[in-house]
Amino acid sequence: MSHAQGEAPLIHMEGVEKWYGAFQALTNINLSVRRGEKIVLCGPSGSGKSTLIRCINHLEGYQKGRIVVDGTVLSNSMKAIDAVRSEVGMVFQSFNLFPHLTILQNCTLAPMRVRKADRATAEATARRYLDRVRILDQADKYPAQLSGGQQQRVAIARALCMEPKVMLFDEPTSALDPEMVKEVLDTMVGLAADGMTMICVTHEMGFARQVADRVIFMAKGEIIEEAAPETFFSAPQHQRTREFLGQILQGH
Amino acid sequence: MSKGFGAAEFLFLLEGLKWTLLLSAVAFAGGGVFGLLVALGRTAPYAAVRRAMAGYIAVFQGTPLLMQLFVAYYGLALLGLKLPAWVAVAIGFTLNASAFLGDIWRGAIEAVPRGQDEAASALGLHYGQRMRDIVLPQAFRIAQPATVGYLVQLIKGTSLAAIVGFIELARAGQIVSNQIFEPILVFGVVGAIYFCLCWPLSLLSARLEAKFAAATR
Ligand SMILES: Nc1ncnc2c1ncn2[C@@H]1O[C@H](COP(=O)(O)OP(=O)(O)OP(=O)(O)O)[C@@H](O)[C@H]1O
Ligand SMILES: [Mg+2]
């Protein structure tokens, strides 16, 4: 793990609270992510994992606290949101590829619209990242013609085409057939090896052991525990973490 | 002066057809533009805009087209707007078409999965870009059968313009029929002309549907 000492964190969340109406989805979230750091976020269903990472690129607003991404304070202003979104890539559980566009067009759209790249440049970038996720030969197909694993790798390439500084993954393998999980995880491991800053919501504990610098456990909208993977798995501090790990490991 | 159904009678019908086509085209073009605005307003992130558009749709779907044409034709004149009859009627049809197309497209926009808009947002696309590049292209595909269905209704519905004195296709048929006393023949021809207009549209729609389905499957 390489990071300059004393460097400002890439993502900084401080006392973040979020409500859906009267329901509090996040309570006092404090989280700093250094450049190049890999975080795995886990916890029971409904614990607020998705909500937390969706606050980072303002797919969800938050009501209290502060989020700073690469020096930009994330407020409700369009300018701040734009600045943050151009540095933050996101991969969804359900892929969310654009079904009416080809794989290549999926990857060139945002660079052309948001970064104002010309088509040739955008396509060259897209081909580079599609090659990196080993799917370049499918560039002219439509998403529905690809398998789930292939689609998710395209989704990763699409996000990378914006050359983000950090990648958010929300259960990227949960919607996949078991035999396709590995190809997506391998892609993510490769990304991690290249030094990408990553926050991954996942229950793939093998991936967490292999890649994570820190594992964070959430329950009921709060961060309950965080530790390096060795410590997290071998000596969880909290009862709820132990129960959760018990369930997860049983399921696998 | 009955003389049977000849070239002159047929030309008279075609003259009526011209108005049917013109009114349909204007109403569909106007309804397309304003209907899109209605659909966007109906799905806008502002509650006041949504409510206003819902009210507009309710009024124009909930009252007879005939009455709307009367209001457009006589009402605008009462307001002191001296418009040619066909403009007034075109406005009436446009307002009506905007409500129906707006509601069809509202439903289609809402049928595009939320994740599409979210993924586009996460990539940094703004509202206009998300609508133009992601949401509307998918919504129009979803709405295409209903849209063509409405267009067919609209073409046939232009016959209501006869009520304010327009001699469009159906009215022209009535006039010819009254002259030559051959209602079955004349309305058979009129019906065939409507059919020749509407049937290809339905065919085209089915073809497009199949094409889109193939491209995304
Ligand atoms: N749009 C919303 N409106 C109201 N409540 C919501 C909304 N989105 C999420 N919630 C609630 O907030 C809580 C946290 O949801 P979130 O999706 O972040 O959980 P999660 O940890 O990602 O769960 P899962 O593992 O099932 O994905 C849940 O109780 C959920 O019901
Ligand atoms: Mg979730």
Side-chain angles (χ1 to χ4, degrees):
Chain A
M1 193 179 68
S2 61
H3 63 272
Q5 212 63 38
E7 196 188 351
L10 189 51
I11 296 175
H12 184 67
M13 303 177 84
E14 195 179 298
V16 171
E17 317 230 323
K18 154 114 195 139
W19 285 266
Y20 289 110
F23 174 77
Q24 182 157 17
L26 294 179
T27 306
N28 192 28
I29 299 294
N30 296 289
L31 173 65
S32 274
V33 182
R34 294 183 303 270
R35 238 164 264 276
E37 201 175 13
K38 288 97 183 106
I39 308 276
V40 161
L41 196 57
C42 62
S45 181
S47 56
K49 309 175 297 291
S50 297
T51 306
L52 190 156
I53 64 169
R54 289 160 60 88
C55 281
I56 295 173
N57 63 354
H58 208 276
L59 285 184
E60 303 286 353
Y62 58 104
Q63 281 83 35
K64 252 181 90 179
R66 225 162 82 96
I67 300 179
V68 187
V69 179
D70 196 28
T72 306
V73 179
L74 186 53
S75 64
N76 286 326
S77 89
M78 278 276 275
K79 209 173 147 221
I81 294 172
D82 282 349
V84 165
R85 284 182 181 166
S86 70
E87 308 296 355
V88 179
M90 189 169 214
V91 174
F92 301 84
Q93 179 175 348
S94 48
F95 326 142
N96 295 347
L97 293 181
F98 306 130
H100 60 300
L101 302 179
T102 64
I103 300 310
L104 189 67
Q105 290 167 335
N106 263 273
C107 294
T108 55
L109 179 70
M112 288 169 64
R113 291 287 183 272
V114 179
R115 297 250 193 260
K116 310 292 175 202
D118 60 73
R119 180 176 302 277
T121 313
E123 286 186 353
T125 309
R127 289 185 193 283
R128 197 166 79 238
Y129 284 112
L130 286 172
D131 190 31
R132 178 156 160 195
V133 302
R134 298 175 196 293
I135 208 130
L136 184 55
D137 51 333
Q138 316 280 345
D140 295 320
K141 289 193 179 165
Y142 285 90
Q145 297 169 299
L146 270 54
S147 74
Q150 290 174 322
Q151 289 191 49
Q152 195 58 300
R153 285 185 282 140
V154 171
I156 293 172
R158 177 176 71 176
L160 291 176
C161 284
M162 289 294 284
E163 317 214 289
K165 293 193 171 132
V166 53
M167 287 281 285
L168 309 175
F169 293 85
D170 193 355
E171 305 203 34
T173 58
S174 298
L176 295 175
D177 293 338
E179 71 271 19
M180 296 172 186
V181 169
K182 187 172 178 298
E183 64 186 63
V184 171
L185 288 180
D186 286 348
T187 306
M188 293 168 65
V189 170
L191 201 55
D194 288 349
M196 177 61 79
T197 310
M198 297 163 64
I199 303 182
C200 310
V201 176
T202 179
H203 292 162
E204 294 291 338
M205 292 306 148
F207 173 81
R209 282 177 201 274
Q210 186 181 354
V211 165
D213 298 306
R214 262 188 297 162
V215 180
I216 295 182
F217 175 72
M218 285 183 78
K220 299 211 171 92
E222 288 182 84
I223 293 179
I224 303 288
E225 182 159 354
E226 55 175 288
E230 314 83 67
T231 330
F232 184 84
F233 291 113
S234 59
Q237 297 297 299
H238 292 261
Q239 181 58 29
R240 269 193 279 185
T241 318
R242 284 194 286 270
E243 284 167 14
F244 173 76
L245 284 176
Q247 283 165 2
I248 284 285
L249 298 177
Q250 224 169 40
H252 280 250
Chain B
M1 53 169 274
S2 168
K3 56 186 173 77
F5 191 80
E9 282 69 27
F10 192 63
L11 281 178
F12 190 72
L13 290 187
L14 290 186
E15 193 68 14
L17 172 64
K18 196 184 77 186
W19 284 108
T20 295
L21 287 177
L22 184 70
L23 283 177
S24 302
V26 171
F28 194 70
V33 172
F34 290 102
L36 181 57
L37 294 180
V38 169
L40 291 175
R42 192 69 188 78
T43 55
Y46 309 103
V49 179
R50 284 200 303 273
R51 270 200 299 275
M53 288 306 150
Y56 176 84
I57 291 172
V59 167
F60 279 86
Q61 285 190 340
T63 56
L65 173 57
L66 192 58
M67 193 211 78
Q68 294 163 22
L69 291 179
F70 270 131
V71 170
Y73 188 71
Y74 298 110
L76 290 177
L78 279 180
L79 287 177
L81 272 174
K82 288 253 178 291
L83 297 173
W86 78 268
V87 174
V89 170
I91 290 176
F93 277 115
T94 296
L95 289 175
N96 184 268
S98 305
F100 278 89
L101 289 174
D103 202 36
I104 290 172
W105 294 342
R106 186 263 322 151
I109 289 173
E110 287 172 351
V112 176
R114 265 192 70 84
Q116 291 290 307
D117 193 60
E118 284 180 353
S121 297
L123 286 166
L125 272 69
H126 289 163
Y127 175 81
Q129 299 168 326
R130 296 200 299 273
M131 279 296 160
R132 198 188 70 193
D133 291 322
I134 304 302
V135 178
L136 290 180
Q138 296 183 55
F140 286 143
R141 284 182 194 192
I142 295 169
Q144 184 240 317
T147 304
V148 175
Y150 178 74
L151 177 56
V152 167
Q153 291 298 322
L154 182 70
I155 290 173
K156 292 182 288 185
T158 53
S159 61
L160 281 176
I163 208 73
V164 291
F166 252 92
I167 304 177
E168 43 61 64
L169 182 54
R171 176 79 183 124
Q174 201 184 11
I175 291 172
V176 171
S177 160
N178 287 345
Q179 282 174 350
I180 65 175
F181 305 112
E182 292 216 53
I184 305 283
L185 173 65
V186 174
F187 284 111
V189 173
V190 168
I193 296 177
Y194 274 115
F195 187 80
C196 291
L197 282 183
C198 298
W199 176 241
L201 282 175
S202 305
L203 274 186
L204 178 72
S205 173
R207 291 259 299 268
L208 284 177
E209 230 177 301
K211 200 185 112 194
F212 287 154
T216 51
R217 190 164 297 150

